[in-house]
Structures are given as C-alpha cells and as structure tokens.
C-alpha cells in the first residue's frame, strides 16, 4: 500500500544527519508526551487519571501506519493501535479519511484489542494531504455490558459483552456528531465519566495534531517524511542485527489460562517459535479452542502479545514500529483461544489470554537466549472492577465504579536483576500506577485495612521474582460493593527459570462476618457488605537461576526487609546467621548449601511446565472456608442496589 505521507515533489532530503534525526525524533516524542499529559490531567475516571491505563501515539499515514513515537504507552496497547487505524481506513476507504474528522471504535472484529479499550484516532492533514495520525487508547469505566463491569468476562458473546462500536466518525469537519455521541452515551451507565474521558481523548489527539503541524511549519513536511522513512529503516536494521545473533532453531513452549469464568479451566496456549536468520515465526497451532467466556484473544491482541517478548529483547531506545514488526510473523488458527471467531467474547483479551500468550513465547525464547529471558511474571490477578452506590451523603446517593491496581503483582527475575515489584502484568510492563489509599478512601466508600508486601510470594533463585501484595478493604456507610475479578495466574502461577522456583499464585477471598472465608478463582463475582472484607493477594514473579548462587548477604537483607521468611532463607537459600541474628556465618552457610545441593539433585530448566501448580489459593483455605471457581452475579447485581 502506498504511503500517502510521501512527498510528491521528490524534494525530500536524501538523508537526515544524526543530529537532526535525533532532535526531530525526540520532538515527536514530546508531542506524544503532551498528548499523554493532556489525557491524564483532564480525564474524569481514576482508571485513566490515576492508574494511567491509556496510551497515545503518533503514526504516519501509511496503511497500516508506522509508529513514529509512543513515548510511555502500554505495550499491550501501542502495537494494537496500527491494527485499529487500519480498521478505520478499511471501513471508510482511504478517500473517506477527511480533514477535521475524528474517529472512534471499540469493536475487536474491526481491529481493537478488547471492548474495554476505546480507540480515538484523528488524521493530521497538511495543505490538504493526509500526513499523520494522532491516536489515543484508553480503558473505559463502562462498556454498556449486561454485566456492571467494563471487563465482562462472564459474557458468552459480543452482545452480552457490551455496546459494539465499529469505526464511526465522532466528529466531522471539526464538529461533534451529536447523533453518534448520544447513541454511545445512551448505552453507558456512567454517562458523565464516559463523556469526560472521551472528550479528554479527543483533546489529546488534537493536542498531538497541533504539535505535529508546528513541527511541519518549522522543519518542513519533506523533512518529517524523511524522518519517518529513516525511523523504519533504522528499526529494521537494528532488529535484523539482534535477531541474527539469536541461534536458528525451532522451540516449543506452553502456558495455561486458569479459567474462562464459565467453568472451563487450564486452557492451553501452545507455541512453536522458529528463528530463521533475521525472522521469527510464532505459531500457536495446537492451542485449545476458543472458550465460552470472555477469555479469548482478538487477532490484534494476539499479534501484540506474541511480539511483546521479542520486542523486550531489542534495544530499549528503539521505537517499536513496522521496521521491527516486519521481522515477526504470528500464526494463530481461527477459532482458538488465541484468535477467536465472531461472535465470541474477548472482554478479557488484553489481560488473561494475552499474558498466557506472552508466557508461551517467553518459554521458547528462554531456550534460545536464556541470558535475555525473563522468568514468569505474575499475571493480573487479583484486580477487579468494583461497583455500587456511595451513600456517605444520604441526600445524594451516587453510583460508583472503580478499578484499582493496588494489589499489583510481581515481575519475573532475569539474569542480572530481581523482578520488579508492582509489575501488574507483562502487557503493561510496570507502566501503570496504583491509586494512593487516601484518594481511594476519599473518593469511594472503602476503608483500606492493609496494603503490604507478602513474604515468600515470589519464586526464589540467584535472582528472585518481584513480590506479591496483600490488599484488604471493607465497604463503609452501608455500601454493597459488587466485585468483578477478571484476572489469571492463581492455578497456573509464574514459572521459575534455569533452577529458579515458581511463585505461589496468590488468591482472592472474602472474609465473612463470622470470620470464615469464601475463596474464589481469579474470575467471577463477589458481593462485599459492611462488616465483611475483600482480600486480594497477588503473586510474586518467578525466580531465575540456582538459589544457592544468590549472595548470602543479599538473602539476609531480603529476610530483614520481610521479602522472605526465615524458613525460606534457611531451606532454599541455605542461609546460616550468627548469634546476633544479622551477620551471615559464611562457613556454615557454605556447608549448608553444599548439603542442600547434594540432596536435591539436578535442577529443572522450567518449573513448573504442567497445569494447576498454584499453591497459595489452596493454603489460604482453612476448615469452615468454602471455594467457588467462578461465582456468577445474582440478578440484582446492578448499580441500583
């Protein structure tokens, strides 16, 4: 497809000098940074304004478009944006893309990642010629679902999933189309918040458009078109060089999704990865059929999640554009959990199947390039959508909906570094923030009882995984809070690599008024009322390498800081402390480590490599407690409680 951003005059500079190239590249990054700040500071909902579950980007006018800058976008968003823009172009035709128009869509069968992520895109014209796109993707607090959640995993088709918005013109010739806007808002519960976020996204795109035209006025369109061409070439060359260093071969890996929310468990993602010269082919043939619930992946989401681990192995200063992606081919048979067929629900696509898809690819890469691989990162559980009525002011009961990331899970360890805390998922790579507890308590009828690191929640190794978190709250003022968990990784926890151990998986449960617990799977429903407590315990990440090779003084520090218990320090790491309880006894530690090494035998490469290895969700259950895999919302689970 011809790039409409090419200069017709043929007067583009043949090459930009390195200084001009760097200055212009960072100038476009500054445009995207201002887009991000515009969206963050003007959004109405906490999921965007505080958690930052959004991404912005500037693209050229090719089809599919090439990324010029994304700045700090979420990985699971930014590489799906070109697919979304292509869906808009294919829907309206290239001649139908007009100056002054703004487009919006959330339909995965037109190219978005999942229904919760609304895409707003604005073409940028210069002297009547379409040159660039400004794009914003943001998670919405409502999607018009039959279920009062913006991640309706319980939906068994797209109609239950929510209001499907194919590519439409929100604005035409600079004017908002009131018919489209009203149609959209009429299908949403939280009209004001949805409208506020939508207009913030439009404002973000318009900010990007203004800044790009200022660059055009300063440097000329031909120079910027040349920059785009060189960015693709630059990414192509550097990606080629990195992949060429990887050993050719075919590698296999597999991962499992815990539950689809309707009763299916341990849903397999099968991956075969082939490295051939400067190309990587990722094939998901052999994966399980698509599920009945919303844990299926859209095609755009599958391509994004599959390429993410490869992109993580590229230089960090490289923009992930088509110059990189042309070296990665993704194959996923239709009708599988990796590439669902219409009208399957994909409500949880960016969260649940995405992380399993990435895990399967990481396991393949670990066999090819172990020094660059990462042990298993904890998936997104125990996060949830929480809805109800705020009755703290009896004269003004107000419906509320909140997604927080305060129980964010830990990242996997790698060769040189421990896993990140609060990584949340591989699809976000630590880019989300959690809401301060004080703000949560101020904005919503919730009392936060605990938010603390959970000892021994991570996998151990020469480098250990990032820790999991215990997060606990109680409703106030008579509020009944409907909790819709939408995560994964309890039953199939983060894996350890090269002798590192697995993490424990975490759990979700409600502490009842009598002190007993209702423990659930990572997807389902819980109602929590005043006097009860919701508890979300996230998993840590997997460990990397032999734990006996970890510096004993670092182990002692982890013990002191509460990341691990004394039992773990002694039995897994072989630590022996002196009588002062602080100083490491070097000789006794060396002897204990030698004894452990003799007794344990050969270490496995990947642990575990089979389903249902989670431990914590079982350990937390005590006599009198109950377990439900995927509780269904009752008939009165709506915002009129």
């Amino acid at each position: 497809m011809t790039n409409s951003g090419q200069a017709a005059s043929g007067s583009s500079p043949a090459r930009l000098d390195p200084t001009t190239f760097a200055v212009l590249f960072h100038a476009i990054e500054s445009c995207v940074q201002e887009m991000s700040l515009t969206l963050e500071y003007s959004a109405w909902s906490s999921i965007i304004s505080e958690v930052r579950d959004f991404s912005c980007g500037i693209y050229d006018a090719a089809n599919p478009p090439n990324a010029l800058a994304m700045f700090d976008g979420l990985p699971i968003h930014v590489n799906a944006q070109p697919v979304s823009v292509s869906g808009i172009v294919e829907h309206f035709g290239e001649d139908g893309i007009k100056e002054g128009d703004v487009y919006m869509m959330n339909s995965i069968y037109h190219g978005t990642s999942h229904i919760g992520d609304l895409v707003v895109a604005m073409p940028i014209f210069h002297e009547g010629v379409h040159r660039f796109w400004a794009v914003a993707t943001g998670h919405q607090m409502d999607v018009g679902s039959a279920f009062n959640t913006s991640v309706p995993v319980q939906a068994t088709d797209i109609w239950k999933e929510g209001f499907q918005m194919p590519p439409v013109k929100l604005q035409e010739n600079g004017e908002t189309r009131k018919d489209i806007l009203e149609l959209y808002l009429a299908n949403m519960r939280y009209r004001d918040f949805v409208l506020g976020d939508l207009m913030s996204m439009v404002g973000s795109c318009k900010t990007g458009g203004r800044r790009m035209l200022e660059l055009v006025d300063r440097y000329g369109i031909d120079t910027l078109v040349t920059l785009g061409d060189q960015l693709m070439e630059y990414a192509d060359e550097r990606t080629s060089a990195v992949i060429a260093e990887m050993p050719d071969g075919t590698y296999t890996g597999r991962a499992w999704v815990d539950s689809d929310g309707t009763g299916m468990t341990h849903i397999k993602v099968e991956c075969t990865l082939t490295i051939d010269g400067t190309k990587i082919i990722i094939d998901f043939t052999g994966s399980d059929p698509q599920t009945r619930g919303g844990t299926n992946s859209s095609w755009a989401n599958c391509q994004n999640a599959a390429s993410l681990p490869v992109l993580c192995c590229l230089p960090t200063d490289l923009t992930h554009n088509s110059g990189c992606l042309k070296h990665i081919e993704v194959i996923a048979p239709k009708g599988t959990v990796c590439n669902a067929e219409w009208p399957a629900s994909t409500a949880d696509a960016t969260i649940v199947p995405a992380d399993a898809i990435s895990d399967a690819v990481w396991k393949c890469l670990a066999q090819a390039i172990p020094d660059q691989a990462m042990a298993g990162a904890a998936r997104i559980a125990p996060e949830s959508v929480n809805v109800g009525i705020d009755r703290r002011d009896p004269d003004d009961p107000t419906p509320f909906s909140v997604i927080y990331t305060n129980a964010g899970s830990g990242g996997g360890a790698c060769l040189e570094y421990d896993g990140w805390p609060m990584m949340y998922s591989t699809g976000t790579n630590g880019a989300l923030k959690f809401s301060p507890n004080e703000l949560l308590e101020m904005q919503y009828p919730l009392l936060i009882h605990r938010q603390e690191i959970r000892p021994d929640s991570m996998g151990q190794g020469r480098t250990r995984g990032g820790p999991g978190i215990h997060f606990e709250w109680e409703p106030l003022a008579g509020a009944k809070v409907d909790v819709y968990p939408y995560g994964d990784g309890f039953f199939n926890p983060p894996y350890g690599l090269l002798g590192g151990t697995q993490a424990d998986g975490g759990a979700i449960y409600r502490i009842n008024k009598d002190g007993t617990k209702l423990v659930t799977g990572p997807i389902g429903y819980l109602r929590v009322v005043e006097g009860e407590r919701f508890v979300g315990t996230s998993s840590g990440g997997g460990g990397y390498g032999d734990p006996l090779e970890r510096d004993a003084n670092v182990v002692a520090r982890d013990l002191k800081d509460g990341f691990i218990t004394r039992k773990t320090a002694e039995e897994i790491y072989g630590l022996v402390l002196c009588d002062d309880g602080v100083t490491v006894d070097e000789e006794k530690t060396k002897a204990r480590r030698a004894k452990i090494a003799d007794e344990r035998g050969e270490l496995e490469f990947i642990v575990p490599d089979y389903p249902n290895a989670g431990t914590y969700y079982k350990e937390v259950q005590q006599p009198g407690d109950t377990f439900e895999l995927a509780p269904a919302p009752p008939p009165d689970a709506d915002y009129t409680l």
Side-chain angles (χ1 to χ4, degrees), residues 239 243 278-282 303 306-311 314 322-330:
T239 303
I243 297 178
T278 62
K279 191 175 183 68
I280 292 179
I281 302 168
I282 304 170
Q303 295 175 82
S307 31
L308 196 156
V310 178
L311 297 177
L314 300 180
S322 62
C324 308
L325 297 175
K326 67 187 291 185
H327 295 275
I328 307 169
E329 179 183 354
V330 181

Side-chain angles (χ1 to χ4, degrees), residues 88 91 103-112 114-115 117-120 143 158 162-170 179-188 194 198:
I88 293 170
H91 186 79
Y103 304 85
M104 62 183 286
M105 63 183 290
N106 72 358
S107 171
I108 69 102
Y109 292 105
H110 288 85
T112 56
H114 79 145
I115 192 172
D117 288 338
L118 182 71
V119 176
V120 173
V143 295
I158 59 172
F163 184 64
Q164 303 289 319
M165 180 70 73
V168 297
K169 289 184 181 181
L170 174 62
D179 55 346
I180 293 295
L181 179 61
E182 191 57 38
L183 174 65
Y184 179 60
L185 296 177
N187 283 275
M188 302 298 145
V194 170
L198 176 59

Side-chain angles (χ1 to χ4, degrees), residues 143-313:
V143 295
S145 171
F147 306 94
N148 192 4
T149 167
S150 58
V151 192
V153 190
Q154 296 83 357
T156 53
D157 57 42
I158 59 172
W159 297 285
K160 292 179 182 176
E161 189 176 353
F163 184 64
Q164 303 289 319
M165 180 70 73
V168 297
K169 289 184 181 181
L170 174 62
Q171 293 188 353
E172 189 169 23
N173 197 27
E175 297 293 329
T176 298
R177 291 189 57 183
K178 294 183 179 179
D179 55 346
I180 293 295
L181 179 61
E182 191 57 38
L183 174 65
Y184 179 60
L185 296 177
N187 283 275
M188 302 298 145
R189 293 176 176 87
Y190 308 102
R191 179 187 177 100
D192 290 346
F193 280 91
V194 170
L195 175 60
D197 286 350
L198 176 59
M199 291 298 102
S200 296
M201 294 172 71
V202 172
S204 171
C205 290
K206 291 192 173 184
T207 296
R210 286 195 301 271
R211 296 296 178 253
M212 285 301 296
L213 290 178
E214 289 172 1
L215 290 178
V216 170
D217 289 342
R218 182 173 182 180
Y219 294 99
I221 187 62
D222 294 340
T223 300
L224 288 176
V225 168
T226 300
L227 171 71
D229 293 341
Q230 282 188 228
L231 277 171
M232 304 311 124
E233 178 185 329
Y234 178 68
D236 181 5
E237 291 176 352
R238 294 189 69 185
T239 303
S240 294
V242 171
I243 297 178
E245 292 295 320
M246 298 180 183
D248 285 356
T250 298
Y251 310 90
T252 60
R254 63 200 59 82
W256 295 267
V257 170
D258 282 2
S259 166
D260 78 330
T262 70
M264 295 179 65
T265 57
H266 313 307
I267 302 148
K268 184 178 67 169
V269 172
E270 185 79 29
C271 179
T272 301
L273 183 146
T274 300
I275 302 173
D276 183 8
T278 62
K279 191 175 183 68
I280 292 179
I281 302 168
I282 304 170
D283 188 349
F284 293 103
T285 300
S287 297
D288 280 350
Q290 65 192 48
T291 69
R292 185 167 177 263
T295 54
N296 299 299
S297 179
S298 64
W299 178 228
N301 183 73
C302 178
Q303 295 175 82
N304 200 5
S307 31
L308 196 156
V310 178
L311 297 177
C312 285
C313 296

Side-chain angles (χ1 to χ4, degrees), residues 10 268 320 467 528-529 537 561 589 602:
K268 184 178 67 169
H320 296 157
V528 186
V529 301
T537 53
D561 291 342
T589 295
E602 187 175 350

